Amino acid sequence: MIQTIDENIKNRKSIFAFSDKMVEDSKLNLIFDAARRAPSSFNAQPWRYIYARKGEESYDILYNLLMDGNKIWASTAPVLILGFTEVIDSKRGRSNRFAFHDLGMATAMLMLQATSSGLSTHPMGGYDTVKAKEVFGIPSGFEPGAMIALGYEGSTENLPEDLKKRHNAPRLRKNITEFAFHGKWLSETGS
Ligand SMILES: Cc1cc2nc3c(=O)[nH]c(=O)nc-3n(C[C@H](O)[C@H](O)[C@H](O)COP(=O)(O)O)c2cc1C
């Protein structure tokens, strides 16, 4: 059997143009089910998500947290999701240094399930994290991670030229040898 990279890993990309079509409840359930299955340190499952559909008051609250550069294109996303993680391990009375790691893994699962369900995503760090905690009354011990725009891919015709380009641009990546080191640390020069 020829081994190839999983199609959903290959096809996922952070898009800038969403269609009006609302995400079905069943699909929302699927993507959170995928997140639920992520591994986590001590199985703490520190991730939490607040999500909202366009038209709901909480969608506007999420949207208004975004930086202007993200607002331009994220206004087309039918669903916004904001990730949080529990940074305190209350059972052990210490901080959980894998809290963001584990939120990231759950979110990666969520995004790949979205891709496999015909949806697209775009994670964003460009929003007001301090205000996010305030407006949603987030309890102490939880910190916000990325906000994710979710929906079906739409036409780029109404996007400004620069975003159209970014939507369609090839995604550049490091070569494997630049980050996967066999047995010892390799510096930028390869020595
Ligand atoms: C934590 C995180 C924060 C990001 N913040 C933003 C953002 O604020 N605005 C934006 O347009 N893209 C943002 N991105 C998307 C990245 O720019 C994108 O993932 C990267 O360029 C690779 O492109 P791809 O996701 O299409 O493969 C963010 C991605 C991550 C994981």
Side-chain angles (χ1 to χ4, degrees), residues 86-104:
E86 189 171 19
V87 294
I88 303 294
D89 178 345
S90 40
K91 264 195 205 144
R92 289 168 194 81
R94 60 185 192 206
S95 65
N96 176 5
R97 83 179 193 84
F98 294 106
F100 282 99
H101 176 276
D102 294 351
L103 171 64

Side-chain angles (χ1 to χ4, degrees), residues 11-158:
N11 295 336
R12 184 213 56 79
K13 67 170 185 174
S14 300
I15 63 159
F16 291 85
F18 291 90
S19 94
D20 296 344
K21 185 177 173 189
M22 183 42 74
V23 178
E24 300 85 341
D25 286 352
S26 58
K27 289 203 176 176
L28 272 176
N29 199 55
L30 265 182
I31 64 160
F32 288 122
D33 193 358
R36 198 168 72 88
R37 292 163 195 270
S40 59
S41 175
F42 287 108
N43 198 21
Q45 303 166 60
W47 50 81
R48 303 286 185 276
Y49 297 98
I50 291 179
Y51 69 94
R53 301 174 186 80
K54 203 172 204 168
E56 295 173 341
E57 201 183 330
S58 40
Y59 179 99
D60 295 338
I61 297 173
L62 287 168
Y63 178 77
N64 285 323
L65 294 171
L66 291 172
M67 306 290 168
D68 288 346
N70 286 328
K71 275 184 173 160
I72 297 172
W73 58 267
S75 59
T76 63
V79 175
L80 290 173
I81 306 170
L82 180 50
F84 294 87
T85 194
E86 189 171 19
V87 294
I88 303 294
D89 178 345
S90 40
K91 264 195 205 144
R92 289 168 194 81
R94 60 185 192 206
S95 65
N96 176 5
R97 83 179 193 84
F98 294 106
F100 282 99
H101 176 276
D102 294 351
L103 171 64
M105 285 204 293
T107 301
M109 297 270 198
L110 178 158
M111 287 168 54
L112 288 176
Q113 181 62 48
T115 311
S116 106
S117 301
L119 292 159
S120 291
T121 53
H122 191 145
M124 295 169 279
Y127 70 94
D128 189 333
T129 54
V130 175
K131 207 165 160 200
K133 289 203 282 184
E134 268 168 38
V135 289
F136 287 109
I138 303 305
S140 70
F142 286 86
E143 291 296 331
M147 181 149 8
I148 304 135
L150 172 78
Y152 292 93
E153 188 167 354
S155 162
T156 57
E157 67 186 348
N158 293 325

Side-chain angles (χ1 to χ4, degrees), residues 178-189:
E178 291 178 271
F179 64 86
F181 305 152
H182 191 179
K184 62 174 182 184
W185 187 267
L186 288 184
S187 68
E188 298 286 310
T189 56

